Amino acid sequence: MVQERIIQYLKSNKTFVSGQKLSRHLKISRAAVWKHVRDLRLAGYKIEAVPHRGYYLKSCPDKLLPEEIFAGLATERLGRTVYYYETISSTMDEAFRLAAQGSPEGTLVCAESQTRGRGRLGRTWISPKGKGLYTSLILRPDLSPLEVGWITFVAAIAVCETVREATGLKAAIKWPNDVLIGGRKVAGILTEMNAETDRVKFVIVGLGMNVNADKVHLPPRGTSLKMESGNKVSRICLLQNVLQKTEYWYGCLQARDFSPVIERWKALSITIGRRIRLSEHHRIIEGKAVDLSAEGGLVILNEDGDLITRMTGDVELI
Ligand code: BTN
């Protein structure tokens, strides 16, 4: 908390700030200021200290450190508690553990790399160090287990909108939750929950986004924001925006106002109206994706002219 305030103060001043001014602002001793500055340097902040002039923030580390996330975060609840890891097996497991211990809604687990990142349908999520967003968010929604699928849509909307704003590229959602640019996957969402028959205890929303990864880091059909835009993109800004937009759309779900979510998802989707091939437990269905059902399933007009709805599966656009 103190370190976060030091960074915020130094950022807002953009010039040297004396130790005395900082100690008055933070209501701590100058020796304590010095100790916090030392720890911030160890975490990767470049802070110059000049006698009689004070401290100057030269650069911030390209890391998802809590103090970086908090500085400028405009959410009320999401991302207000952050657990940060350099390396972890999977942020999903850690978020599950924290949620089971009672961590509040909005708690975020993020890591610079994962050794066993996982995706939908038992796949692996490749998580090269410092090149992407690998996060899991704890939610405690007032929804039935059958309605939890909507959270995945909300997260996909938030990610897609954020990517569009950050890069100007026409990102789109492939049902249910892949975010693509030019047909290549840039982000994926994995939603897992702990529920009783009719009551959700908690939901974990995992986000994997390829941000500054190069081709060598990624699976064949994957891409990154850097590859598509030609520029390095700030992971902190992306994360702050995803959290902000998730909070907004999640608010609609909590208010049981589902229709704006459905409309927004459809507007960002490249699945509806397209011919698709859906693989589901080794069964393949071909047809035209025509709509989203009230439960978030994909409504398909199949080859026999029947309307069928599928809640899971992997979609290929043909
Ligand atoms: C998918 O598209 O299949 C979903 C991918 C989700 C990957 C993220 S990375 C952070 C979180 N931790 C994991 O192990 N998985 C999710």
Side-chain angles (χ1 to χ4, degrees):
M1 201 59 185
V2 178
Q3 292 182 6
E4 176 197 332
R5 292 183 63 209
I6 292 179
I7 293 301
Q8 249 166 3
Y9 201 62
L10 292 178
K11 272 186 181 170
S12 64
N13 274 277
K14 292 189 176 72
T15 178
F16 279 93
V17 178
S18 70
Q20 193 181 22
K21 215 171 164 190
L22 264 171
S23 89
R24 246 190 282 125
H25 176 70
L26 299 161
K27 298 190 178 63
I28 56 173
S29 70
R30 287 176 68 171
V33 169
W34 168 246
K35 277 192 193 133
H36 286 298
V37 167
R38 183 197 56 198
D39 291 347
L40 284 165
R41 281 176 168 159
L42 287 174
Y45 288 92
K46 297 246 177 326
I47 302 173
E48 214 175 311
V50 175
H52 310 300
R53 293 189 75 190
Y55 301 102
Y56 171 64
L57 180 63
K58 281 177 86 180
S59 68
C60 301
D62 179 19
K63 290 192 173 180
L64 301 170
L65 297 168
E67 51 270 22
E68 284 294 296
I69 297 172
F70 298 146
L73 180 65
T75 58
E76 247 173 57
R77 304 185 68 180
L78 304 194
R80 289 283 154 202
T81 306
V82 173
Y83 290 83
Y84 170 81
Y85 299 88
E86 279 280 337
T87 301
I88 199 168
S89 56
S90 162
T91 55
M92 295 306 280
D93 299 337
E94 182 59 2
F96 235 88
R97 196 184 65 75
L98 289 163
Q101 282 177 358
S103 277
E105 170 153 282
T107 301
L108 184 77
V109 178
C110 56
E112 298 293 343
S113 72
Q114 299 181 115
T115 51
R116 289 177 57 198
R118 59 174 184 269
R120 281 177 72 235
L121 310 169
R123 295 188 183 126
T124 300
W125 187 264
I126 301 171
S127 317
K129 191 164 192 153
K131 302 283 181 190
L133 288 180
Y134 318 118
T135 64
S136 294
L137 181 68
I138 298 176
L139 294 178
R140 298 185 180 277
D142 205 0
L143 297 171
S144 77
L146 282 175
E147 292 167 331
V148 160
W150 287 110
I151 293 179
T152 311
F153 292 110
V154 156
I157 293 170
V159 171
C160 190
E161 288 182 337
T162 298
V163 170
R164 284 184 176 201
E165 278 176 28
T167 64
L169 296 165
K170 204 162 181 297
I173 305 170
K174 181 166 78 87
W175 185 88
N177 56 6
D178 286 352
V179 177
L180 312 185
I181 301 176
R184 293 182 174 273
K185 181 160 168 173
V186 76
I189 291 140
L190 178 68
T191 309
E192 296 179 346
M193 70 171 154
N194 185 327
E196 289 162 2
T197 328
D198 55 356
R199 192 179 76 91
V200 176
K201 289 189 185 159
F202 58 81
V203 174
I204 311 292
V205 187
L207 164 65
M209 194 193 298
N210 304 322
V211 182
N212 294 318
D214 297 310
K215 205 172 180 350
V216 285
H217 300 120
L218 298 172
R221 295 198 58 75
T223 191
S224 74
L225 298 186
K226 184 176 150 212
M227 282 165 65
E228 296 297 325
S229 69
N231 297 311
K232 201 172 167 212
V233 181
S234 159
R235 293 182 303 149
I236 291 286
C237 290
L238 288 168
L239 180 55
Q240 289 170 334
N241 282 325
V242 168
L243 288 169
Q244 209 172 307
K245 292 182 192 310
T246 305
E247 187 164 275
Y248 171 79
W249 290 107
Y250 178 59
C252 294
L253 297 186
Q254 290 291 66
R256 306 203 63 76
D257 191 9
F258 294 98
S259 61
V261 176
I262 299 174
E263 290 316 311
R264 189 65 182 137
W265 188 91
K266 282 186 190 169
L268 295 171
S269 145
I270 39 162
T271 308
I272 307 298
R274 294 279 297 267
R275 278 195 58 76
I276 56 138
R277 186 178 295 126
L278 182 134
S279 327
E280 183 199 34
H281 311 300
H282 308 294
R283 258 192 71 200
I284 305 239
I285 299 165
E286 280 196 13
K288 185 177 174 190
V290 288
D291 206 358
L292 208 57
S293 75
E295 294 76 32
L298 189 63
V299 184
I300 305 165
L301 181 65
N302 71 10
E303 311 271 76
D304 302 328
D306 298 325
L307 281 180
I308 55 168
T309 302
R310 286 294 172 271
M311 298 306 294
T312 59
D314 206 24
V315 163
E316 209 186 311
L317 304 170
I318 47 178

